[in-house]
Amino acid sequence: MSGDADGTVPEENGVSAGAPGDERGGEQDDDRDGRTLRARVDLLEAENRRLRRAYERQRRTEHRRAAAALVGVGAAALAGAAAFPSVREVLIVVAAIGVFGGVLTRYLTPERFVSASVGERVYEALAGNEASLAAELGLRSDRVYVPVGGPDTARLFVPERGDYDLPDAETLSGNTLVVTGSDAERGLSLTPTGAPLYREFERSAMGEPASVPGRLGDELAEGIVEAFELASSVTAAVDPEEGRASFEVVGGALGDGSDFDDPVASTLAVGLAVGLGVPVSVEVAPGEGSYTVTCRWDVDAVGGDEGSDEGTPENGGSSESASDGDVTDEDVGDAGPAAPGSERN
């Protein structure tokens, strides 16, 4: 191979024969890095899927073991009934409870488990979008839950003005952006998060929900904790004469109540609005480890004697004695201002 006198190698086809191909080498390194990164992502996704399946199998196994244990207790009680005639009736009852509980536990085991954190993230995104929409439209912070009947059950109205007027039910149900001939009726009409939850509450309730504030407040508080598990405890304090119900929510599963249309506050407000048949305004005050939901309504708009349930068990009063079911004749005769309701744990 020949070269110039100064020792350089001549170029062939426009490329120096002595060039190491740094550019091609860099591209190859980038390709290798990209393949390595994709392989790691695929590996992590596969590991996440494996862990989710393992978690679901573990939860199902726990439920099945609990079912087997209940059936085992029932079988042992049945055997004891044959061996000990003196307590046979008691043991037969225990056996029946054990077998029945085991069957329910086995066949009511959910097939899919969604953690509370997943639901919270989804709700945060939707609440953030709705809050941004209300802010860009220049709407107020008022939240009014209006019963409209039909499949919608209730609508959340966010007014544009402080001296607002509520549009009629047809307008609220048929529009998201409410623009009528009256400026006082302008605002935003949304399906509240509590509407489908309240429909589920109605389906799962034993009989019709109460139509008086005190008892209805207690039922809704219990439903939030027992049926939906959206909070660790909810304490209701209802004052029918003032048209006010306060709920102290501890251990909320979906945040501290400060987000737009909080599910707990929404369910309580929708329940009161539908149960009493009046619009209900809501304020949420975050606290230390808890938050307070305050619902207000127009007492004069509640029909008949339903707005007055001054502690009597017949009317579902919110006094402690009425909530506990221990009401004397003297209590009924001297019904005073409503006191806080019982705590649901």
Side-chain angles (χ1 to χ4, degrees):
M1 179 176 65
S2 62
D4 295 337
D6 58 0
T8 60
V9 180
E11 293 183 357
E12 297 180 1
N13 299 327
V15 179
S16 174
D22 292 340
E23 184 176 349
R24 289 195 300 273
E27 292 177 354
Q28 292 175 355
D29 291 341
D30 291 341
D31 291 340
R32 282 195 297 270
D33 292 342
R35 288 194 297 270
T36 301
L37 181 60
R38 285 193 295 271
R40 290 178 178 175
V41 171
D42 293 340
L43 180 61
L44 289 174
E45 290 178 348
E47 181 66 12
N48 285 337
R49 289 193 295 269
R50 186 190 68 80
L51 291 174
R52 283 195 295 267
R53 288 194 296 267
Y55 176 72
E56 292 174 359
R57 285 196 299 270
Q58 179 182 0
R59 293 293 300 270
R60 284 194 291 268
T61 300
E62 291 176 355
H63 280 77
R64 289 167 182 169
R65 287 176 179 172
L70 288 171
V71 172
V73 170
L78 192 60
F84 304 100
S86 60
V87 291
R88 177 174 298 169
E89 293 182 359
V90 175
L91 292 176
I92 288 177
V93 172
V94 173
I97 293 174
V99 173
F100 182 70
V103 172
L104 286 181
T105 303
R106 173 63 179 84
Y107 289 101
L108 294 182
T109 301
E111 293 297 326
R112 176 174 295 180
F113 299 91
V114 179
S115 64
S117 61
V118 173
E120 184 176 1
R121 298 298 178 269
V122 173
Y123 162 67
E124 284 179 353
L126 296 177
N129 291 335
E130 293 177 338
S132 298
L133 177 61
E136 291 186 11
L137 292 174
L139 304 182
R140 296 178 55 82
S141 60
D142 301 77
R143 304 287 183 264
V144 186
Y145 294 82
V146 185
V148 296
D152 285 342
T153 305
R155 298 286 287 183
L156 168 58
F157 179 65
V158 185
E160 182 181 47
R161 301 174 51 169
D163 54 342
Y164 65 87
D165 293 330
L166 287 176
D168 56 49
E170 183 178 357
T171 301
L172 289 173
S173 298
N175 299 275
T176 300
L177 297 176
V178 180
V179 181
T180 66
S182 172
D183 291 342
E185 293 183 350
R186 294 186 176 184
L188 186 64
S189 175
L190 301 171
T191 299
T193 58
L197 292 175
Y198 180 73
R199 288 196 294 269
E200 185 62 29
F201 168 78
E202 284 185 311
R203 284 194 291 267
S204 61
M206 299 295 292
E208 292 292 328
S211 59
V212 289
R215 183 175 297 173
L216 180 58
D218 285 343
E219 290 180 357
L220 291 170
E222 183 177 7
I224 292 294
V225 176
E226 302 296 340
F228 303 129
E229 298 184 8
L230 291 176
S232 300
S233 68
V234 177
T235 305
V238 182
D239 189 345
E241 295 181 351
E242 295 294 330
R244 183 180 66 249
S246 296
F247 301 88
E248 183 183 7
V249 182
V250 178
L254 298 177
D256 60 357
S258 60
D259 291 325
F260 190 96
D261 193 28
D262 174 70
V264 174
S266 184
T267 303
L268 295 170
V270 169
L272 288 171
V274 175
L276 302 179
V278 295
V280 173
S281 62
V282 172
E283 297 177 0
V284 179
E288 188 68 27
S290 65
Y291 59 93
T292 301
V293 179
T294 302
C295 302
R296 301 178 188 275
W297 61 90
D298 184 2
V299 177
D300 296 333
V302 179
D305 296 331
E306 293 178 351
S308 177
D309 53 346
E310 300 176 338
T312 63
E314 293 83 357
N315 291 332
S318 60
S319 66
E320 292 183 0
S321 58
S323 299
D324 295 336
D326 299 327
V327 180
T328 64
D329 293 337
E330 182 179 355
D331 294 328
V332 175
D334 300 323
S342 59
E343 180 175 347
R344 304 296 183 182
N345 291 307

